[in-house]
Amino acid sequence: MRRLIAISNRVQVDHEGETANRGGLAVALAAALRESNGIWFGWSGELTEEFTGQITFRRAEGVATATIDLEAQDIEEYYNGFANRTLWPLFHYRLDLTEIARDYAGGYARVNSRFADTVGPLIEPDDLIWVHDYHLMPLGQQLRERGFDNRIGFFLHTPWPPPSLLVSLPDHRKLVESLLSYDVIGFHSHEWRQAFMDYVTAHLDARLEGDRVIFGGRSSLLLICPIGLDTEEFCAAAGTPAAVEAETRLIHSAVGKAVIVGVDRLDYSKGLQERFSAYELLLTTRPELREKVFLLQIAPPSRGDVPSYQQIRAELNSLSGSINGEFAATDWVPVRYVNKGYSRDQLFGIYRASRVGLITPLRDGMNLVAKEYVAAQDPADPGVLVLSCFAGAAAQLTSAVIVNPHSTEDMADGIARALAMPLSERRARHKAMLECVEKEDVRWWSKRFMEALIAEDAAVGPARSPADAAQE
Ligand code: ADQ
């Protein structure tokens, strides 16, 4: 089996006692790497006074990791700056929150170049390289410039924005051209891939041939490859003490009330304010539901150094407080808003105890929480998933109650429908979704991507090392 080198901004594997804030990518990649005996390379999350390129090698949960520390200026300009203040909002259609600054773009280029310089010596000619996410779009080109002609793939975990938004980015052409150094570019859904195709045909001197882009003498395959859950591992939580305790605690504390659950990183793309407003509308327009339901929103803070994240946190505190102030009774709190992380076992129990899973991002590349909610249900008496039409997951989980997260009325109707849904319909919808979550899991996802990358190898021929290339 070919060795995989996965490269992502952060390398996050669980060390004992740490479970909070683990992103979707961490969950998915660990499984893919364990199987291929690969190396996961990226930033340690640590700060260093001066960048040295020194690599720390570790092994955690069967995954070999190689990490580097970054300087404060790198973190400010590349991570907090270009990645989280420029690209993340832009790629989630939030031009209003997109901050453009040359320092950010400069930091982004510098860190991508530092990644290329430090990972380079680890790469052998036969390795497959898989780069992840918007933080590292130029890395493939940086590696090519250093002479690596391994098969290199890139997977985008976020949406790809429509061309009319992307052109707001200075140097948008340069960024997209750099992506076309990859052999395979993966997207979660047809919609994100189509937006990419629309851009390259409108703004670059590129040609589409089926699902390939031909540009600058290279061909890149544009692959639709929706990420899945590590379903087997996640479902192994069933019956564990932590899962059972979380489930029974929630059921007892609910005393017969139906639990509506939301689990999200605290991020403006997740539509949390809109969700709270929809729930408020539900209680206002359907008084018969008061004291019969409550919303449990779990949202651990993320990216606290970025002002828009501090702002959303303050807004949600105020919104949950005002809903509780308006509707609460002596023995009923309508919104339980919890800003902390839970272990995966506990999350399993929480999902299982909840009658409705309310997942309503305004835009989301995929959304793994929706899949986790489905996987955790009891097939004999499952809860109902209410899902935003703007999550990548909606293209696969078509048996969810699909709602428009911009319409509080539509969401309130969706929740009411889910609460009233008869058992037979709940079972039928759940069965269809579970089939997809089980079949198209994280192994299916990584296999699909890796096979596409290997097939490119057959098409293009074996890679040479930079040393071979120099000798020729
Ligand atoms: P995220 O935006 O982080 O990921 P998501 O796919 O929902 O979003 O994954 C979040 C993960 O964090 C889930 O596995 C969830 O269980 C976990 N999590 C959330 N809240 C938690 C809590 N309180 N305690 C413990 N765990 C918690 C990005 C993209 C997504 C895409 C993924 C994977 O934004 O669209 O689905 O990458 O590609």
Side-chain angles (χ1 to χ4, degrees):
M1 192 188 220
R2 304 273 293 274
R3 187 171 75 148
L4 167 68
I5 299 194
I7 310 175
S8 66
N9 166 53
R10 277 293 296 276
V11 169
Q12 270 177 314
V13 275
D14 278 356
H15 299 292
E16 224 173 320
E18 278 177 30
T19 40
N21 259 339
R22 208 155 79 123
L25 174 62
V27 173
L29 260 192
L33 279 164
R34 247 180 260 131
E35 283 184 5
S36 80
N37 208 12
I39 304 180
W40 185 3
F41 179 91
W43 174 35
S44 58
E46 299 295 324
L47 190 67
T48 180
E49 200 129 298
E50 194 180 340
F51 180 78
T52 59
Q54 190 186 331
I55 302 176
T56 305
F57 293 94
R58 292 177 75 179
R59 183 167 279 277
E61 295 184 345
V63 176
T65 62
T67 56
I68 51 170
D69 302 341
L70 292 178
E71 284 172 22
Q73 194 184 351
D74 290 339
I75 296 167
E76 193 42 36
E77 294 175 349
Y78 148 81
Y79 181 66
N80 289 327
F82 202 74
N84 286 338
R85 294 190 196 202
T86 308
L87 291 177
W88 178 270
L90 182 63
F91 278 40
H92 289 85
Y93 298 48
R94 293 297 302 267
L95 201 47
D96 57 324
L97 298 176
T98 302
E99 295 176 44
I100 308 276
R102 289 186 184 145
D103 286 352
Y104 295 170
Y108 187 69
R110 181 177 66 249
V111 172
N112 270 272
S113 160
R114 287 182 164 175
F115 265 59
D117 285 337
T118 43
V119 76
L122 304 183
I123 299 172
E124 290 177 10
D126 216 27
D127 289 341
L128 296 167
I129 303 170
W130 189 0
V131 177
H132 289 266
D133 230 0
Y134 59 99
H135 313 84
L136 299 174
M137 287 190 272
L139 182 59
Q141 186 178 49
Q142 295 273 355
L143 290 170
R144 298 277 181 234
E145 283 169 7
R146 285 160 181 74
F148 292 96
D149 65 356
N150 297 59
R151 298 292 70 81
I152 314 181
F154 173 82
F155 190 84
L156 181 69
H157 290 264
T158 66
W160 184 270
S164 54
L165 287 180
L166 189 61
V167 293
S168 322
L169 190 70
D171 290 334
H172 52 89
R173 272 196 198 88
K174 208 169 109 194
L175 185 75
V176 181
E177 282 176 11
S178 74
L179 271 175
L180 297 174
S181 292
Y182 291 105
D183 297 297
V184 178
I185 306 172
F187 301 89
H188 286 303
S189 75
H190 180 270
E191 190 181 350
W192 316 143
R193 181 176 79 168
Q194 188 57 48
F196 186 84
M197 286 176 160
D198 292 346
Y199 178 92
V200 295
T201 46
H203 295 278
L204 298 183
D205 190 13
R207 199 171 80 245
L208 284 182
E209 269 180 18
D211 47 11
R212 292 175 173 279
V213 188
I214 314 297
F215 176 77
R218 296 196 67 91
S219 150
S220 303
L221 175 71
L222 306 180
L223 184 73
I224 297 173
C225 190
I227 197 167
L229 259 195
D230 190 346
T231 311
E232 210 180 297
E233 188 190 55
F234 187 66
C235 289
T240 59
V244 173
E245 198 209 328
E247 184 181 355
T248 40
R249 252 181 94 170
L250 187 51
I251 290 171
H252 282 156
S253 79
V255 281
K257 296 174 179 60
V259 184
I260 302 165
V261 75
V263 175
D264 310 77
R265 265 189 315 102
L266 218 172
D267 190 298
Y268 48 77
S269 68
K270 303 292 181 184
L272 292 165
Q273 290 112 309
E274 292 77 2
R275 188 181 309 170
F276 280 13
S277 300
Y279 178 64
E280 184 176 25
L281 183 68
L282 179 86
L283 297 179
T284 307
T285 53
R286 292 168 173 87
E288 69 281 7
L289 287 178
R290 293 180 201 163
E291 306 196 26
K292 299 277 188 312
V293 298
F294 68 85
L295 173 65
L296 169 62
Q297 177 62 54
I298 297 176
S302 65
R303 304 174 192 172
D305 293 339
V306 179
S308 49
Y309 285 76
Q310 295 156 6
Q311 197 183 332
I312 180 196
R313 194 166 179 192
E315 281 171 15
L316 287 169
N317 285 343
S318 138
L319 206 48
S320 59
S322 85
I323 298 172
N324 282 338
E326 190 180 347
F327 293 102
T330 48
D331 56 355
W332 177 54
V333 181
V335 182
R336 296 186 193 175
Y337 176 44
V338 186
N339 285 131
K340 67 175 208 173
Y342 287 90
S343 72
R344 306 200 57 71
D345 289 356
Q346 287 172 316
L347 275 185
F348 185 96
I350 291 168
Y351 292 137
R352 201 170 170 98
S354 302
R355 177 52 67 212
V356 177
L358 188 57
I359 314 292
T360 54
L362 302 177
R363 287 284 157 184
D364 215 332
M366 169 53 67
N367 195 297
L368 288 172
V369 171
K371 295 183 173 181
E372 290 167 3
Y373 179 76
V374 169
Q377 297 308 300
D378 173 2
D381 184 17
V384 180
L385 177 65
V386 176
L387 180 63
S388 161
C389 58
F390 299 124
Q396 287 178 294
L397 304 178
T398 50
S399 296
V401 172
I402 302 289
V403 294
N404 177 349
H406 295 284
S407 162
T408 47
E409 290 159 332
D410 197 36
M411 281 191 282
D413 287 353
I415 302 168
R417 195 173 156 207
L419 287 166
M421 194 176 281
L423 179 62
S424 56
E425 186 179 348
R426 281 193 275 131
R427 277 188 183 160
R429 284 173 180 265
H430 175 256
K431 186 166 180 267
M433 291 191 286
L434 186 64
E435 246 171 57
C436 166
V437 170
E438 283 178 342
K439 195 167 139 247
E440 298 182 355
D441 69 353
V442 74
R443 282 177 187 78
W444 173 88
W445 169 73
S446 55
K447 191 162 169 266
R448 185 176 162 85
F449 191 92
M450 298 284 285
E451 279 177 2
L453 201 52
I454 291 167
E456 289 304 291
D457 209 27
V460 185
R464 297 161 307 159
S465 69
D468 294 340
Q471 272 175 14
E472 281 164 19

